[in-house]
């Protein structure tokens, strides 16, 4: 069930109307049942997979809270293994199997592991990360273990954010399911307006840009360099309109009922550096990786000085790239982000001195342009089905740059 479909429109109207008509004590059940129906509209049997991880994490949270010392960490590790294991099987099994087969082939060997013809469960990466944040926060002592199984299930399955986030933390969302939200005209109107804006960005902007981008990428050999350059620019705008549009619909739908979800995009293309862009782009994901990957790695390597931060940045973004998809193109995309962020970090003092000598309007313009063009360039790998194809696209761009230089 897509957010921009008539099915979702009727679903939203029915669920929201019932939500405000029901007594508060029954609302959690309505939302949980509705979220199950929403999820099963894609591939019904996959509800069992989600149910499996929910049961594991529910009991893990309780055991983690009650345990001490090594046992506490063991329960956390078991929970993380269950979540990452499910994600790995459905999203990364064939990718790793294929690469292992290529590696073994060089030594005259083969892998006995078969290729699995399976579809990726909808939103698996998002609700897996949300579930993992719960057990991690319980382990850190920042969140009490949820004893109400239905409320915890709703935390993982809340339909507005189930498909594409935002990825919420338990401290922000869990307690809201116990609060009573009355119908408020201003809040409802604000939520509906945000949903309408999200639909507009998705349908009128993202889908229209996708037509041009898909046309160029489907016939790259017979496309001129200017068209390829425009496709690279349009693709970034397409992804932003698509993803932020979905986030707006999710946040708006939740707001109508009274729930407050975190902002996921905050004018990212006004960023004057790539590091600033990642503070404004897919905020729920970037902060998730910052808290659970970057910070622990940087702390563990603090005796390396500034190189510990560089190491943490590169590793974090390589994993972030892989999170987006099981392909070397996504890993390269993440690696490029990590490298440029490290470069910005290492040259921060020099750039600060230079900025003082340049008028703010010029400095800001240069920063915004450089950030957008770099992100558009790196997104070529994000859009391409293979590294070879991405290099072919880039070679078209290089021809354009050389032509402009000669002129």
């Amino acid at each position: 069930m897509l957010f921009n479909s008539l099915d979702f429109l009727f679903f939203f109207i029915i669920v929201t109307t019932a939500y405000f008509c029901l007594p508060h004590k029954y609302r959690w059940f309505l939302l949980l049942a509705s979220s199950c129906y929403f999820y099963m509209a894609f591939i019904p049997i996959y509800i069992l997979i989600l149910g499996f991880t929910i049961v594991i994490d529910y009991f893990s949270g309780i055991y983690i809270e009650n345990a001490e010392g090594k046992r506490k960490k063991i329960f956390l590790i078991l929970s993380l293994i269950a979540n990452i294991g499910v994600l790995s099987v459905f999203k990364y099994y064939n990718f790793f199997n294929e690469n292992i087969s290529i590696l073994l082939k060089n030594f005259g060997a083969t892998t006995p592991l078969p290729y699995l013809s399976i579809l990726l469960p909808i939103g698996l990466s998002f609700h897996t990360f949300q579930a993992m944040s719960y057990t991690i926060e319980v382990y850190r002592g920042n969140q009490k273990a949820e004893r109400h199984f239905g409320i915890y299930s709703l935390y993982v399955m809340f339909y507005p954010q189930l498909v594409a986030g935002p990825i919420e933390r338990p401290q922000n969302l869990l307690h809201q399911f116990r609060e009573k939200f009355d119908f408020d005209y201003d809040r409802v109107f604000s939520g509906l307006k945000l949903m309408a804006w999200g639909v507009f960005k998705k349908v009128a902007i993202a889908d229209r840009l996708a037509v041009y981008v898909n046309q160029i990428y489907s016939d790259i050999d017979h496309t001129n360099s200017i068209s390829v350059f425009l496709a690279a620019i349009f693709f970034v705008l397409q992804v932003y309109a698509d993803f932020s549009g979905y986030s707006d619909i999710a946040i708006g739908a939740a707001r109508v009922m009274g729930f407050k979800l975190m902002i996921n995009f905050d004018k990212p293309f006004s960023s004057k550096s790539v590091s600033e862009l990642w503070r404004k782009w897919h905020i729920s994901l970037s902060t998730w990786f910052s808290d659970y990957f970057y910070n622990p790695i940087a702390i563990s390597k603090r005796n390396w000085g500034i190189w510990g931060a560089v190491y943490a940045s590169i590793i974090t973004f390589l994993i972030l790239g892989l999170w987006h998809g099981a392909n070397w193109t996504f890993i390269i995309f993440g690696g490029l982000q990590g490298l440029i962020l490290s470069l910005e970090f290492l040259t921060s003092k020099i750039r600060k001195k230079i900025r003082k000598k340049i008028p703010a309007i010029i400095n800001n313009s240069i920063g915004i342009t450089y950030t957008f063009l770099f992100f558009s360039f790196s997104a070529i790998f994000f859009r391409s089905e293979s590294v070879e194809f991405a290099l072919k696209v880039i070679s078209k761009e290089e021809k354009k740059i050389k032509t402009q230089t000669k002129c």
Side-chain angles (χ1 to χ4, degrees):
M1 190 185 303
L2 300 176
F3 278 172
N4 57 318
S5 66
L6 285 176
D7 288 342
F8 176 75
L9 176 62
F10 292 125
F11 170 85
F12 172 75
I13 292 173
I14 293 170
V15 172
T16 305
T17 302
Y19 174 82
F20 285 115
C21 290
L22 279 176
H24 171 63
K25 62 180 180 180
Y26 300 122
R27 288 179 175 178
W28 71 266
F29 182 78
L30 167 71
L31 291 179
L32 179 58
S34 302
S35 297
C36 289
Y37 175 82
F38 178 86
Y39 190 80
M40 293 174 70
F42 295 97
I43 302 178
I45 193 66
Y46 279 1
I47 192 72
L48 298 178
I49 300 168
L50 189 52
F52 167 76
T53 57
I54 286 174
V55 170
I56 292 292
D57 293 329
Y58 169 75
F59 286 105
S60 294
I62 296 173
Y63 290 144
I64 289 169
E65 186 176 69
N66 294 334
E68 295 181 0
K70 291 184 178 179
R71 291 182 71 248
K72 190 172 186 176
K73 181 174 288 188
I74 288 173
F75 287 128
L76 173 65
I77 292 173
L78 290 175
S79 169
L80 297 180
I81 289 175
N83 282 278
I84 296 173
V86 171
L87 183 63
S88 298
V89 169
F90 282 91
K91 192 169 184 177
Y92 302 110
Y93 171 85
N94 287 330
F95 171 70
F96 287 118
N97 189 24
E98 179 182 344
N99 282 276
I100 291 173
S101 297
I102 294 173
L103 181 63
L104 292 176
K105 190 176 181 180
N106 294 328
F107 297 95
T110 58
T111 173
L113 299 176
Y115 177 87
L116 297 181
S117 181
I118 52 178
L119 292 175
L120 180 68
I122 192 75
L124 180 61
S125 298
F126 292 93
H127 55 70
T128 295
F129 271 31
Q130 183 150 313
M132 289 168 64
S133 71
Y134 167 75
T135 51
I136 293 173
E137 292 301 319
V138 172
Y139 174 81
R140 290 179 174 180
N142 298 326
Q143 172 66 41
K144 289 284 187 180
E146 178 56 59
R147 259 61 179 184
H148 193 301
F149 181 74
I151 294 293
Y152 174 72
S153 300
L154 182 56
Y155 162 75
V156 178
M157 293 192 63
F158 189 39
Y159 85 82
Q161 52 163 172
L162 187 59
V163 175
I167 303 170
E168 286 290 350
R169 307 299 173 81
Q171 299 96 314
N172 178 50
L173 188 57
L174 262 174
H175 68 89
Q176 295 190 56
F177 294 127
R178 286 190 164 83
E179 297 176 19
K180 185 177 184 296
F181 300 110
D182 296 320
F183 184 92
D184 180 88
Y185 175 81
D186 291 335
R187 189 195 68 232
V188 170
F189 179 75
S190 172
L192 291 175
K193 185 169 66 173
L194 185 59
M195 290 179 71
W197 176 234
V199 171
F200 176 81
K201 285 198 285 188
K202 164 62 179 169
V203 175
I205 301 176
D207 289 353
R208 301 286 71 77
L209 290 172
V211 173
Y212 180 84
V213 173
N214 292 341
Q215 180 181 350
I216 298 301
Y217 272 78
S218 64
D219 192 22
I220 198 71
D221 292 323
H222 303 93
T223 304
N224 61 60
S225 57
I226 294 178
S227 297
V228 172
F229 177 79
L230 288 175
I233 299 296
F234 287 172
F235 175 66
V236 170
L237 298 176
Q238 173 201 333
V239 172
Y240 168 73
D242 196 319
F243 213 158
S244 67
Y246 255 68
S247 293
D248 288 344
I249 297 171
I251 296 169
R255 184 184 297 174
V256 168
M257 295 182 286
F259 300 100
K260 185 177 181 180
L261 302 182
M262 70 180 296
I263 295 173
N264 216 14
F265 291 85
D266 183 21
K267 301 175 182 177
F269 298 138
S270 66
S271 304
K272 296 178 284 296
S273 66
V274 177
S275 56
E276 182 184 350
L277 182 143
W278 278 103
R279 291 194 295 270
K280 297 180 175 182
W281 176 280
H282 203 339
I283 300 170
S284 65
L285 178 67
S286 59
T287 53
W288 198 98
F289 270 93
S290 176
D291 289 346
Y292 301 134
F293 275 91
Y294 176 82
N295 289 338
I297 295 174
I299 292 172
S300 69
K301 303 297 181 183
R302 57 182 176 272
N303 59 324
W304 290 14
I306 60 173
W307 297 107
V310 170
Y311 174 81
S313 180
I314 293 175
I315 294 298
T316 299
F317 274 89
L318 285 172
I319 298 172
L320 184 146
L322 184 62
W323 178 88
H324 281 91
N327 196 316
W328 283 105
T329 54
F330 293 108
I331 296 174
I332 293 174
F333 168 79
L336 289 172
Q337 308 305 315
L339 287 173
I340 199 67
L341 286 169
S342 299
L343 184 60
E344 288 184 355
F345 175 71
L346 293 172
T347 60
S348 58
K349 292 182 179 179
I350 297 174
R351 290 185 295 108
K352 188 176 182 179
K353 291 180 181 179
I354 294 174
R355 282 199 300 270
K356 291 180 179 180
K357 300 178 181 180
I358 301 176
I361 188 171
I362 296 177
N363 182 68
N364 292 343
S365 298
I366 293 174
I368 291 172
T369 302
Y370 132 75
T371 301
F372 183 76
L373 290 178
F374 169 78
F375 199 64
S376 299
F377 167 79
S378 62
I380 291 173
F381 288 94
F382 195 98
R383 175 60 178 76
S384 300
E385 66 267 18
S386 67
V387 176
E388 293 77 15
F389 186 87
L391 295 177
K392 184 184 293 186
V393 174
I394 293 170
S395 68
K396 290 273 186 177
E397 297 247 7
E398 288 178 347
K399 289 180 182 179
K400 178 181 181 298
I401 294 172
K402 289 179 181 179
T403 302
Q404 289 178 335
T405 303
K406 289 179 181 179
C407 293

